[in-house]
Each structure stands twice: as structure tokens, then as C-alpha cells.
Amino acid sequence: MAIVLGPNQYGKAEVRVVAVDRSSPRHELVDLNVSSSLRGDFAAAHTAGDNAHVLTTDAQKNTVFAFARDGVGTPEAFGLRLARHLAGSYDWITGARVAVESYGWERIAVGGQPHEHAFRRPGGEVRTAVVTVDGDDVHVLAGLSDLVVLKTTGSEFRGFPRDRYTTLTETRDRILATAVTARWRYTGTDLDWHACFDRVRTTLLQTFAATHSLALQQTLYAMGEAVLEGVPDVAEVRMSMPNRHHFLQDLSAFGLDNPDVVYHADDRPYGLIEGAVLRDDVPPAEVAWLGTPGFC
């Protein structure tokens, strides 16, 4: 029997960067969480404690801050700059993965006008980007997490099998709510990242709203299908959508009826619906997804 080193990577996780563009009186703010991972010939570091091939995680952190000094731009563009630089640092580094979370801030209104340098953080939605450089191949994933959506009608759930443990009642009308996590893989690396992101996000929202849902699975597929039909630069979409259940509250103890007005929202347990929607004319790229936690 021989014991050998298997696949491995290392890097710096969750480097928090806030950058301010002060080039005009109207300041621009970006707020990022950046994680890097390197792949390559690091066997000696593991088996012999030889660090000759180890680009320190501290250096990776410092590179993030140094690159932010010259401007961030979009999460995708910043990730591409970092990943290409890190992957090309030394010949024994064969690949790099850079994951970026971008936290949105909006301007505070003063006197009905957006303030030039005061901001507020709305909601919990986060824009994401993951760039993977693998030899000569470069892959860009964009995405979002915690996009909370709800529709008060236009959703039903029925026709499911019943066994001795099934207590759920069929319904032709229910509240449908979820917090969407989605990532999509682009076919190119030189795109208008803001425009592509906005188009995908708008398509996801509009399809959720407009689809008469027979199941959250059907809604997920319709959302992914609409993105692939509407945004040719996207090769595949992966989504994770928890079913945030809303149950009609029984008010009979108070002598009141409840004509579909009052609900209680259960945060757990919840159904978790996950799936990928793909183009069959674009080659898969599983290396682009390596290191991405969960389904997407």
C-alpha cells in the first residue's frame, strides 16, 4: 500500500475590501469579500514541509488590496485581474480561483436627492462572481444570493402521491416565497458584466412573477430557461431555492374566520429545491464549479 497526496489547494479566505472612488464630488463605493485559492505543485509543502513553492496567503491578501488601489470595476473584472495575476505568478502555479462577494449600497436621499457621499445598505442580497484560471482556460461564474421574492397568488401544489405519512393538503392557491441563490456560467471573458448581470437578474425576477407555478421545481426551470433564451452569453444556470412556507393561521379560537388573509411564516424546516438548466451545445466546465459550496 502506498499513501499519496490527493487534490489540494490553498489560499486566503474572506479578505474584506472597501474602496472609495473620490475622483469627483460624487463618490462611488464598492464593498467586497474576496477569497483566493491556488492550485499547482505544492506536494513538497504537504509531505516535507518545504515551502519553496508556497506563495503565502498573506501575499495573496496584500495583492487584493493592491489591485483595489487601481480601481475595482465589476466583481467579474476584478476577479479576472486577480486570478490571471495569481495563476501567472510562478510556473509551478497551474491555476487560481478567485471568489468575490459584492455588497450593494444605495445613496441616502436628502431633500429628495441622492446624497453624494452618504449610503445605506439595503436588504441582504449579495452579488457574486467566481473566476477560475486553469492552465490556458478561463471561466467566469456570476451570481447572486439571498434574492428574497414572494407572490401572494398564482401558485398551487397538488397531484403528489400520498402515503401513510403524508399530511399535506393539496392547494390550488398559495403564497410562494423563496430566497434565490443562483450562479450562471458565461461563455466568454470579455463582456459588459454590469449589463449581463442586470439582464439575468431582471429575467429571473420577471419569470418568477409571471409564471403560474404548479411547483417550485417548475418555477426554477422556467427561470433558468428564460435566462438561457434571453441571454446568449450564458451557458448554464444553477439555482438553489428554499421553499419559505406560509401557512394559513387558524383564528377559530378567537371566534374569527380567516379568508386567506393571515398567515404564519415558518423559517424551518423548509423544502429545498435545487437544479441546473443547461445548453446542450456548450461543453461542460466542471472545473469552473470546483470549490463552490453547496449546489451552486
Side-chain angles (χ1 to χ4, degrees):
M1 181 187 71
I3 299 175
V4 298
L5 178 67
N8 61 89
Q9 62 182 23
Y10 79 99
K12 199 70 162 183
E14 301 198 47
V15 180
R16 292 288 283 110
V17 184
V18 174
V20 182
D21 181 350
R22 304 176 184 272
S23 58
S24 75
R26 182 182 174 87
H27 294 172
E28 301 293 337
L29 175 72
V30 292
D31 185 356
L32 306 178
N33 192 28
V34 183
S35 297
S36 59
S37 296
L38 304 183
R39 300 162 185 163
D41 178 13
F42 309 124
H46 290 271
T47 61
D50 181 350
N51 295 322
H53 282 187
V54 175
L55 175 62
T56 66
T57 65
D58 187 68
Q60 295 177 51
K61 174 200 70 177
N62 292 338
T63 302
V64 173
F65 287 120
F67 274 45
R69 164 65 178 79
D70 297 326
V72 171
T74 65
E76 296 87 350
F78 192 59
L80 279 165
R81 287 174 57 207
L82 283 169
R84 284 169 168 156
H85 170 81
L86 293 170
S89 296
Y90 297 97
D91 57 10
W92 59 79
I93 298 176
T94 60
R97 178 184 185 272
V98 174
V100 182
E101 294 178 339
S102 179
Y103 307 119
W105 292 82
E106 63 183 27
R107 298 181 186 276
I108 296 173
V110 178
Q113 297 298 319
H115 198 275
E116 292 186 336
H117 57 260
F119 303 83
R120 66 178 292 272
R121 174 86 182 272
E125 181 184 344
V126 177
R127 178 175 173 178
T128 62
V130 177
V131 176
T132 300
V133 175
D134 183 56
D136 294 330
D137 296 327
V138 181
H139 305 282
V140 179
L141 304 179
L144 51 82
S145 63
D146 207 23
L147 174 62
V148 179
V149 291
L150 180 150
K151 56 195 300 183
T152 55
T153 191
S155 173
E156 52 187 280
F157 189 59
R158 55 193 174 87
F160 47 85
R162 309 192 72 88
D163 64 13
R164 61 184 294 190
Y165 302 112
T166 303
T167 59
L168 186 67
T169 303
E170 293 191 350
T171 180
R172 293 179 179 272
D173 192 17
R174 65 173 180 170
I175 288 178
L176 183 65
T178 186
V180 180
T181 295
R183 292 189 196 270
W184 50 92
R185 177 168 61 92
Y186 288 115
T187 58
T189 59
D190 185 19
L191 304 174
D192 184 334
W193 302 116
H194 277 322
C196 287
F197 177 86
D198 289 343
R199 192 172 177 185
V200 172
R201 184 180 182 277
T202 298
T203 300
L204 292 172
L205 287 170
Q206 291 180 347
T207 307
F208 174 84
T211 299
H212 183 88
S213 179
L214 303 177
L216 190 52
Q217 289 90 333
Q218 176 213 12
T219 300
L220 179 151
Y221 182 81
M223 292 166 68
E225 182 181 40
V227 168
L228 295 182
E229 289 177 344
V231 189
D233 294 312
V234 174
E236 60 178 312
V237 185
R238 298 187 184 185
M239 282 176 282
S240 179
M241 297 170 61
N243 196 340
R244 294 194 165 183
H245 301 296
H246 289 68
F247 297 108
L248 201 65
Q249 181 66 38
D250 183 4
L251 303 179
S252 61
F254 319 122
L256 300 173
D257 65 354
N258 188 0
D260 295 335
V261 174
V262 180
Y263 299 80
H264 65 90
D266 280 3
D267 65 343
R268 63 193 65 183
Y270 51 85
L272 182 59
I273 313 304
E274 298 177 304
V277 187
L278 320 168
R279 295 185 187 278
D280 64 4
D281 60 343
V282 178
E286 284 304 312
V287 69
W289 301 92
L290 291 178
T292 300
F295 188 84
C296 61

